[in-house]
Amino acid sequence: MQGWAKDQRVGLSMLNFVGDPTGELTEALDMKMTHPGPVSKGIIGRCKRHAIYAVNGEIKVVAVSEGPDDPAGDNDPSATLADAMIEAIKKA
């Protein structure tokens, strides 16, 4: 995760990159990708593309980018990008 953070140049920001190698958090958040597409490619237990906004440990907004033919949200990640999250936070 440190390599990804370095690549994204977030070293001195408020962002923290964390991994979930056992999938425990993915399961707890109910974000496990269950679509057969990624599994057929050997990608097992992948987390859905999502964004969470929390205040003092209370989740205020959850957004997931996925579609029937796009389980990973690769073709349309817009629901989890900054602009969409900012709008959702304003409404929360």
Side-chain angles (χ1 to χ4, degrees):
M1 297 306 295
Q2 272 55 12
W4 188 19
K6 183 178 179 182
D7 179 68
Q8 297 301 305
R9 297 184 179 102
V10 297
L12 297 175
S13 75
M14 66 179 146
L15 298 177
N16 291 313
F17 284 62
V18 295
D20 184 25
T22 64
E24 189 174 337
L25 180 61
T26 298
E27 289 283 342
L29 293 172
D30 194 28
M31 289 293 164
K32 186 174 180 181
M33 191 181 307
T34 57
H35 190 279
V39 174
S40 71
K41 306 284 188 218
I43 302 171
I44 299 169
R46 179 174 171 184
C47 187
K48 295 178 183 180
R49 183 186 310 267
H50 68 282
I52 297 174
Y53 172 66
V55 177
N56 295 324
E58 180 183 346
I59 294 175
K60 302 284 187 176
V61 175
V62 176
V64 180
S65 288
E66 65 179 336
D69 295 323
D70 185 21
D74 293 333
N75 295 330
D76 183 14
S78 60
T80 54
L81 298 180
D83 290 340
M85 285 301 291
I86 290 168
E87 287 305 311
I89 290 166
K90 288 178 182 177
K91 296 175 185 176

